Structures are given as structure tokens and as C-alpha cells.
Amino acid sequence: MKKRLIWLLLIGICLLYSASIYFVGSGTFSFVIWLIGALFFGTIFWFSGKDRWKRVPILVRRIVNVCIAAIMVAFMLCIIAMISHFNDKGQDDLDYIVVLGAQMRNSGPSIIFKYRLDVAYDYLIQNPDTVCIVSGAKGNNESVSEGEGGKEYLVSKGIVENRIIAETNAVDTVQNIANSLEIIGDRDGLTIGVVTNNFHVFRGVHLARKLTDNEVYGIAAYTVPWYLPNNMVRECFGIFRDLKKLG
């Protein structure tokens, strides 16, 4: 009975968290992940009653258990990798910093993008010789490209316009990195910082290190703790997708 109460509690948590993600209105469908989580725990709840699980053939039970364990290990490894870059602060006097784009709203950068841009602003103020590239195309739900919107935001805060380059064609993290490195060029001996939210730094940095021989550092921006579980689970899928490109 105690185990079944735990499953019920987890179902409730997943449903409430899914609702909170949905009502943020981020334009993504990541709230569905938590509905799937509720369905998963609901299935466990059902099988845990009336000895239903014990009536399942033992081979099937073992296969299911191994699959669940493998998935849990994979997600835990991804989470550990993300956490290892949560406090990256880069180095002083980098030649370039690359700000990875996120959603632009009619009112300006989304909160998650604003955190990235604010960290970039602080870095540019403290390191006046660093050039900034803001990368991101215009999505269907955006009135301006993420690159141009991010540039306008930094200029409005007082950064000189000729220190900021807008990359406006990238539609995902891989393209953010690849297109920005193409702008930087093939010069050796450069130092480059990748600016993004803490949960995203691992993937951004390792994609860049795979594509260039120059030194690459992460610069981690803030994420509201309530949304970290959602962002980290989503990022796990991004890591799985880009695993071969991470080297």
C-alpha cells in the first residue's frame, strides 16, 4: 500500500508540473514529457495492485526491468555531465563569446534568453576587447531573429554595436555553434566562450570543441530552479540526439 501511495504521489507531481510548464507558454511541447511520466507511474500503479505484475511472464518482467534500468543510467549520466558545467565562468579576455539563441517574444528576449544575454553583457563590460556573436534564426512564432533580437538587446544596454555580430541562420544548437565558428574563421590560437544556461553548457562546449582546435570555455547563465527539471530532461534528449557530434 505504501508503494502504491508513492506511485500516486508521483502521478500527481507529474500532472501538476506538466500544467505549470504548459502555462508558461514557452512555445514548446515539453509539458508532454511530464504527462508521459504520469502515464508511466500510472501504469506501475496499476500493475502493483492485485499481484498483476507477478502474473506477467518472468522473461518479460526481466526485459522491462533491464530497459528501465538502462534508461535511468543513461539519463543519470547526462545529468551528471550537465551538472559538471553548471558553474563554468570562462576565462578573462576571450577573443570571442558565442551566445546561443533562445526564443524572442514581441516584448523582447524570453526570460531564458535574457539570462544568457545578461551574462554576456556582464562579460563584455569586464572584457572590452572581446567580440560577441549572438546566434539564432527567426522561428515561426518570432517577429525577429534571435541573433538580431539578442544584438538589439545588448546594444540597448550600452554595448557598442560593432562588438556584436548577429548570426541569423541557425535553427538548433549544432548550427548555432557551427555557423558561429564559420564567422570566426580558421585562425589558430583563439579563445572562445560559449554562453548559455547552465543545463545547456555541456552540450554547447563539447560541440564546439569537436568542431574547432581553438580553446573553448563555457560561461553558464542562470536558470530558475523550478524549471530546471524540465530543461534538464529536455536537454538529455538533445544530448542523445547529438551524441555522435559531441565526440
Side-chain angles (χ1 to χ4, degrees), residues 46-47 49-58 60-61:
W46 187 82
F47 272 109
K50 298 182 179 180
D51 291 327
R52 294 186 183 97
W53 185 240
K54 291 181 180 180
R55 294 199 293 271
V56 174
I58 189 168
V60 173
R61 281 186 278 159

Side-chain angles (χ1 to χ4, degrees), residues 19 66 81 100 107 166 173:
V66 168
L100 306 186
S107 58
T173 301

Side-chain angles (χ1 to χ4, degrees), residues 46-191:
W46 187 82
F47 272 109
S48 65
K50 298 182 179 180
D51 291 327
R52 294 186 183 97
W53 185 240
K54 291 181 180 180
R55 294 199 293 271
V56 174
I58 189 168
L59 179 61
V60 173
R61 281 186 278 159
R62 286 177 177 174
I63 291 172
V64 170
N65 289 336
V66 168
C67 288
I68 291 173
I71 291 169
M72 289 178 63
V73 169
F75 272 85
M76 286 305 301
L77 289 174
C78 288
I79 289 169
I80 291 168
M82 284 182 241
I83 291 173
S84 71
H85 286 267
F86 262 36
N87 296 313
D88 284 9
K89 299 185 184 302
Q91 299 288 335
D92 291 336
D93 300 317
L94 296 172
D95 295 302
Y96 290 88
I97 59 171
V98 177
V99 184
L100 306 186
Q103 187 182 27
M104 283 294 302
R105 299 177 184 269
N106 292 333
S107 58
S110 61
I111 188 65
I112 204 165
F113 195 14
K114 187 175 182 294
Y115 288 139
R116 301 178 189 186
L117 293 166
D118 287 342
V119 166
Y121 169 80
D122 291 340
Y123 187 91
L124 292 169
I125 290 295
Q126 296 167 14
N127 299 274
D129 294 325
T130 300
V131 175
C132 176
I133 300 172
V134 186
S135 175
K138 176 181 175 296
N140 293 331
N141 60 346
E142 296 172 312
S143 58
V144 64
S145 72
E146 295 163 7
E148 287 291 348
K151 178 177 180 176
E152 290 173 10
Y153 178 83
L154 290 173
V155 170
S156 73
K157 287 175 68 72
I159 302 299
V160 178
E161 186 173 358
N162 62 13
R163 292 183 66 195
I164 309 167
I165 301 169
E167 187 287 313
T168 60
N169 296 311
V171 298
D172 59 25
T173 301
V174 174
Q175 290 185 18
N176 286 145
I177 298 296
N179 293 1
S180 298
L181 291 175
E182 187 174 340
I183 291 171
I184 292 169
D186 295 329
R187 290 171 291 162
D188 294 329
L190 297 176
T191 52

